[in-house]
Amino acid sequence: MCYSAQVWANYRKYVREFGATISVEEFATLYFHDKAKTRPKTPKAMDDAFAAGETPEEREIWRNIAQWNQGAATKAEQELFTQTTRLNTAQRALQTKVTKKAQEDVRIATNKIEAAKQKLADLRRTDDPLPRDSRVFPGVYSPVMIWEEGRRVIKPMRYFCRLPGWTEAVERKFPGTYNARRDKLETSWKELFGFQHGIMVAEVFYENVEGPNGENQVLAFTPKTAEPMLIACLWNRSPGYKGAPDLYSFAAITDEPEPEVAAAGHDRTIINIKPEHIDAWLQPDAGNLARLYAIFDDKRHPFYEHRVAA
C-alpha cells in the first residue's frame, strides 16, 4: 500500500507541465473559512501556492488560508504556554521529590512544546520549502488531475476514497480505501474503474516495512531517474450532508511489487504510467477495459531506490 507520498502539492506545476486548468471553485470551497467548520487537512505547499495568487479568486482563497493559519497560530501559542507551565511545575516538583507523574509530565510537556514550536515555525515560514511541506497521508488533500469538459483539470481531493453510496460512517469501517489493488478493480472498485480516473504526481512514496529487528520502519522510495511519478488513481464525488459541500476523494492504484520494492520488504507498488498515456487514462472507456490494463502493463519501471525515512 502507498502509506504516504511527497506530491506535487503546488497546482502551478500541473498548469506549467501539463497545460492543466485549476478548478478554482473546488479550491475555494475547500478553503472557505468558517469558524464552525473543521480546517481541512492540506499540505503546507498546497496552501502556500495561493500566496502568489494572480486572480481575484486566487487571492480570496489565500485570504481564507491566512485566516485558518492565524487560528492555528493562536492555538499553537496557547498550547506552548500551557505546556511550558506544565513543564515548569513538574521540574519544580522533581526538585522536592521524584515521582512517575512528574517525570511523565516533563516528557509529555517537552514533546508538546517542540511540536508547538515547529507548528508555529511552519506557519510563519514563507520561503525555504521543506520536503514535509508536500507530504500527504491518508485523510490529507492533494491536487489531482482529471479530465473535465475536454481538458485537463486540477481539483483538490482527499487521499482516502469514499466509494459511491458510502457515508462517513461506512468509510470508517474500511480505512484502507486510499489504495485500490489492481486485482480488485473490477469488483470492489467497479463503479469507478473505467469511469472516473485521475493522476497524482509524486516524487517519493513511503511504505511501512518490517525492520531488521522486527520493528516497523518507514522506507522512502524514489525513482533513480528522478522523474516525477504519474500515479494512476480512481476518484469519486460524494454528496455533502446537512449543507456540507460535496467531498472529492481518491485512491492510488497499486500492483504487484517491483523487484527492488519486494526485496526491501513491501508487497505492493504504485502504478506509474507513461506520459504518453495520460489522456487515454483520464478519458476511460468502461467498454474497453483491456485498453486500460494495457496502460498498466506498459507502465514505467524506474529502479526505486530506498532509504529509511526520518
Side-chain angles (χ1 to χ4, degrees):
M1 305 183 89
C2 184
Y3 157 65
S4 72
Q6 184 181 326
V7 305
W8 278 15
N10 187 330
Y11 68 90
R12 296 178 188 279
K13 284 189 174 183
Y14 291 85
V15 173
R16 183 169 58 250
E17 297 297 326
F18 301 112
T21 301
I22 177 178
S23 179
V24 175
E25 181 180 354
E26 267 74 38
F27 276 96
T29 298
L30 175 67
Y31 282 116
F32 179 71
H33 186 264
D34 182 347
K35 292 182 179 180
K37 170 186 171 184
T38 300
R39 179 175 185 163
K41 296 179 180 179
T42 56
K44 176 178 170 58
M46 192 169 98
D47 301 347
D48 289 352
F50 288 95
E54 298 173 354
T55 67
E57 293 82 5
E58 290 173 321
R59 289 192 287 271
E60 177 61 24
I61 290 171
W62 177 245
R63 280 192 287 272
N64 279 292
I65 292 171
Q67 287 182 286
W68 286 118
N69 287 346
Q70 181 57 52
T74 298
K75 288 182 180 179
E77 289 167 348
Q78 292 171 342
E79 176 71 356
L80 186 59
F81 175 80
T82 298
Q83 296 305 325
T84 300
T85 301
R86 181 182 187 181
L87 177 61
N88 292 337
T89 300
Q91 288 175 333
R92 285 196 298 270
L94 287 173
Q95 292 175 357
T96 303
K97 182 180 179 181
V98 175
T99 65
K100 288 186 177 180
K101 179 183 182 306
Q103 290 177 324
E104 189 69 359
D105 279 349
V106 168
R107 182 187 67 81
I108 294 173
T110 299
N111 290 340
K112 290 189 173 183
I113 286 171
E114 290 306 309
K117 286 181 177 179
Q118 180 175 301
K119 181 69 173 179
L120 283 169
D122 283 346
L123 288 167
R124 293 165 178 165
R125 177 164 48 84
T126 57
D127 52 11
D128 299 324
L130 302 174
R132 68 169 182 266
D133 295 346
S134 299
R135 190 169 173 184
V136 298
F137 296 83
V140 177
Y141 281 79
S142 170
V144 175
M145 184 163 62
I146 68 171
W147 190 268
E148 187 174 73
E149 297 181 352
R151 59 184 180 176
R152 299 170 179 177
V153 178
I154 307 304
K155 293 179 182 281
M157 298 190 187
R158 190 189 67 178
Y159 181 41
F160 175 18
C161 193
R162 181 178 296 175
L163 271 62
W166 282 17
T167 62
E168 184 176 351
V170 173
E171 76 174 18
R172 283 198 293 268
K173 299 177 182 179
F174 302 95
T177 56
Y178 50 89
N179 284 162
R181 291 175 59 103
R182 173 176 173 166
D183 55 5
K184 300 290 186 182
L185 294 179
E186 293 183 58
T187 53
S188 302
W189 299 87
K190 63 183 179 182
E191 294 180 78
L192 299 179
F193 181 53
F195 298 97
Q196 295 178 188
H197 293 185
I199 290 175
M200 173 177 69
V201 182
E203 296 179 346
V204 184
F205 68 89
Y206 300 83
E207 302 289 9
N208 286 292
V209 303
E210 184 176 317
N213 300 317
E215 78 284 6
N216 180 71
Q217 279 188 340
V218 177
L219 299 184
F221 292 90
T222 307
K224 191 173 183 178
T225 58
E227 293 177 320
M229 295 171 282
L230 307 179
I231 301 176
C233 302
L234 300 176
W235 65 275
N236 188 37
R237 180 178 182 175
S238 304
Y241 296 96
K242 299 180 180 179
D246 291 351
L247 170 70
Y248 284 86
S249 60
F250 77 103
I253 302 176
T254 64
D255 203 348
E256 295 301 313
E258 296 291 325
E260 67 275 16
V261 175
H266 199 67
D267 63 351
R268 307 295 296 171
T269 304
I270 48 86
I271 292 182
N272 180 6
I273 71 172
K274 291 181 178 178
E276 58 263 36
H277 296 318
I278 288 177
D279 288 345
W281 172 251
L282 295 181
Q283 302 174 78
D285 178 0
N288 189 1
L289 296 184
R291 175 171 173 258
L292 301 177
Y293 285 121
I295 293 174
F296 294 165
D297 294 337
D298 192 39
K299 66 185 176 183
R300 292 190 289 187
H301 297 275
F303 185 89
Y304 292 106
E305 299 177 317
H306 74 272
R307 58 178 172 77
V308 176

